[in-house]
Amino acid sequence: MTSLNLTALTAILVLLAAASVALAPKVRTADGFFRGWTDTGEPPGVLTLTLSQVTTWIFARSLLNAGILGYFFGIAGVLAYTAYYGSFLTGWLITDRLRFRHGAPSVQAFLFQRFGRVGTWCFNLLISLRLLSEVFANLLVIGIVFSAAGEQLSTVAIIAVAGVTLAYSAFGGLRASLRTDALQMVLLAGALLLLLGLVLVHPQFSTTAVVVSSPEITSPGWILLAVALLQVLSYPLHDPVMMDRGFIADRRTTRRSFLHAFWLSSLCILAFGLLGVFAGLNAGGEGEFLKSLESLLGGSAMLVLAVALVLSAASTMDSVYSSTAKLAVVDMGLGRHSPGAGRLAMVLTALGGLVLVLVGTDDLFAAVAVSGTASLFLAPVIVFSILKGCEVARWSLLVAFALAMAGSGLYFLEDSGYIDWIGFLTGLEHSYSKLLVVTVAILAGGMAAFALGQRPAGKAASGGTA
């Protein structure tokens, strides 16, 4: 973003930071801090939950991913990334069954009941890594936005965004996140509509060209769509931000918020992905997405884009902080059930994310590329334990977990170029084709382990033993 007006961007972000801090309430009760309830014990309504769900799932990383996939792979890449937002539908189904069929107050409580401590240990390890990686990835996007200002100012911007979001999150926990998410979502939607409007009226825009931008069925974009459709069942369960919002309101409010979040977030991602398709069609698929878009739309549009990216980063990070606090204090019991203990967990998470960014890595996808693959061990849990209500042996979960961890590690090594085992065995070259092979193998192995590990009712592993 070489033509970005950094003075204007900084002024806008300072105003937004001040508004967020002003909106964030000072919460003193545990229910307000960890569950987002008001001082009178009222849970959030449909509108608040919907806007919060959408803005926390439209990460800064997600916007860039959608744009980059559209830039290189056309409409297929955009549809593939949008398919992951079907997680709102499967996420609603999961939380509804956990709460109203199994009576579980949380995912961890259900896993403890069915698989003992090993179930919660596997799950908590996965979501702890995801929460930390989200802080890292979104702060890294801040660095990309401010990269034109030089390394020192970029570092200052990263620390400032981390500090501001931490400050108002520590004030109000999940309740502050819900309130600021509403403001951030309205502004983010406005920015996306403005950018989409600039593209649609651009003389070089062609609807036909966009529609036929992925003509080959073997395009990596279509392959990634197949991967997304396979992962969309398990993906929401490993996202504590989404799951936390599925346990705080009544059944009707929760269902409506998830369904509205699905179509609204899908439209937002599609809109941003179209920016990538447009830029790719007019840049010949060469160069960088942001630079190509800048040459087409100009500096003013890139200012709007920068604001949208920072907004989405902030909205995700405050939710990550609140989910980390709940995970550490409520779900894992690592501290006293109080806002003070939750604030300490937030600080440690912020510091961990900053360390990952400041040690020197510049790979946006390094910490998050394998999360969907790692979450695949939860797919048989959803099918057999949550939906069908089967009793399954503990070893089945361990087999599925080991397969998912090994598969995600294998894909990371393949994608990073350290090894080429899958390519050697299958002849496949593109990383998404390899990811599809890994995904199918993990799902097949995990489902087989759960099918073999089914037990008669009443024979499940006791939750009180390790």
Side-chain angles (χ1 to χ4, degrees):
M1 296 187 183
T2 55
S3 64
L4 185 63
N5 188 330
L6 291 174
T7 302
L9 176 61
T10 302
I12 293 171
L13 296 181
V14 168
L15 290 174
L16 292 175
S20 297
V21 172
L23 273 177
K26 175 67 174 179
V27 173
R28 294 179 175 82
T29 65
D31 277 341
F33 195 86
F34 296 112
R35 304 184 69 183
W37 289 9
T38 65
D39 293 336
T40 57
E42 293 292 326
V46 174
L47 181 61
T48 298
L49 265 184
T50 299
L51 295 179
S52 180
Q53 290 273 38
V54 174
T55 191
T56 53
W57 251 59
I58 301 179
F59 321 135
R61 171 180 60 83
S62 296
L63 290 177
L64 278 185
N65 281 354
I68 291 170
L69 288 171
Y71 184 78
F72 286 109
F73 307 124
I75 192 65
V78 179
L79 292 175
Y81 205 76
T82 304
Y84 278 103
Y85 287 76
S87 294
F88 280 112
L89 301 179
T90 52
W92 162 72
L93 181 63
I94 291 166
T95 56
D96 187 81
R97 295 301 181 270
L98 285 173
R99 293 177 63 184
F100 303 107
R101 176 178 292 180
H102 301 290
S106 67
V107 178
Q108 284 87 347
F110 177 81
L111 292 174
F112 184 77
Q113 179 188 24
R114 294 294 177 126
F115 301 103
R117 295 188 185 279
V118 69
T120 55
W121 184 87
C122 293
F123 183 72
N124 288 336
L125 174 63
L126 175 64
I127 63 174
S128 296
L129 294 175
R130 176 170 173 82
L131 287 169
L132 186 61
S133 72
E134 286 301 337
V135 176
F136 155 74
N138 284 282
L139 288 179
L140 195 56
V141 173
I142 302 299
I144 293 173
V145 170
F146 283 88
S147 59
E151 184 176 348
Q152 289 186 336
L153 287 179
S154 178
T155 301
V156 171
I158 289 171
I159 295 174
V161 171
V164 170
T165 52
L166 175 63
Y168 70 75
S169 298
F171 273 127
L174 181 55
R175 188 176 166 200
S177 176
L178 291 170
R179 290 187 65 174
T180 55
D181 283 348
L183 169 67
Q184 291 159 350
M185 181 58 219
V186 171
L187 295 174
L188 178 60
L192 290 178
L193 284 174
L194 180 56
L195 289 169
L196 182 60
L198 291 173
V199 167
L200 294 178
V201 301
H202 197 281
Q204 293 177 249
F205 178 79
S206 168
T207 302
T208 303
V210 170
V211 172
V212 299
S213 56
S214 305
E216 298 180 3
I217 194 63
T218 56
S219 163
W222 296 121
I223 294 173
L224 183 60
L225 176 59
V227 172
L229 293 175
L230 290 173
Q231 293 188 353
V232 75
L233 176 63
S234 59
Y235 202 88
L237 189 55
H238 95 301
D239 189 293
V241 172
M242 178 185 286
M243 289 294 102
D244 286 349
R245 283 156 176 75
F247 284 86
I248 59 179
D250 62 79
R251 190 174 194 176
R252 183 170 182 268
T253 298
T254 302
R255 175 179 61 81
R256 292 174 64 195
S257 69
F258 271 77
L259 296 181
H260 287 312
F262 163 66
W263 68 262
L264 187 54
S265 62
S266 297
L267 288 178
C268 289
I269 286 297
L270 274 172
F272 201 88
L274 288 177
L275 302 183
V277 178
F278 169 68
L281 288 172
N282 291 281
E286 299 179 356
E288 296 180 9
F289 162 54
L290 291 178
K291 289 183 178 179
S292 298
L293 191 63
E294 183 178 10
S295 66
L296 291 164
L297 299 182
S300 297
M302 300 312 289
L303 176 62
V304 176
L305 174 62
V307 171
L309 290 174
V310 176
L311 272 174
S312 58
S315 65
T316 299
M317 287 176 57
D318 61 41
S319 297
V320 168
Y321 290 146
S322 61
S323 289
T324 300
K326 177 178 177 293
L327 172 66
V329 177
V330 178
D331 299 325
M332 299 178 69
L334 297 181
R336 191 165 59 91
H337 195 81
S338 67
R343 291 176 181 123
L344 177 59
M346 290 179 174
V347 171
L348 294 177
T349 302
L351 291 175
L354 281 170
V355 168
L356 287 175
V357 175
L358 299 179
V359 292
T361 180
D362 59 355
D363 184 359
L364 176 61
F365 309 104
V368 295
V370 298
S371 67
T373 308
S375 74
L376 287 170
F377 87 91
L378 296 170
V381 175
I382 295 167
V383 172
F384 285 89
S385 302
I386 296 177
L387 298 183
K388 295 178 63 177
C390 299
E391 305 286 6
V392 181
R394 188 177 305 163
W395 66 262
S396 301
L397 180 73
L398 289 173
V399 169
F401 181 76
L403 285 173
M405 294 303 107
S408 60
L410 174 63
Y411 172 68
F412 177 79
L413 294 174
E414 288 269 349
D415 189 48
S416 302
Y418 294 113
I419 60 176
D420 188 31
W421 295 353
I422 300 176
F424 176 76
L425 293 173
T426 65
L428 298 173
E429 296 181 0
H430 198 279
S431 61
Y432 294 161
S433 298
K434 297 177 180 180
L435 179 58
L436 180 59
V437 171
V438 171
T439 297
V440 171
I442 294 172
L443 284 175
M447 293 295 182
F450 268 64
L452 293 172
Q454 289 186 83
R455 293 178 168 184
K459 297 291 186 179
S462 171
T465 59

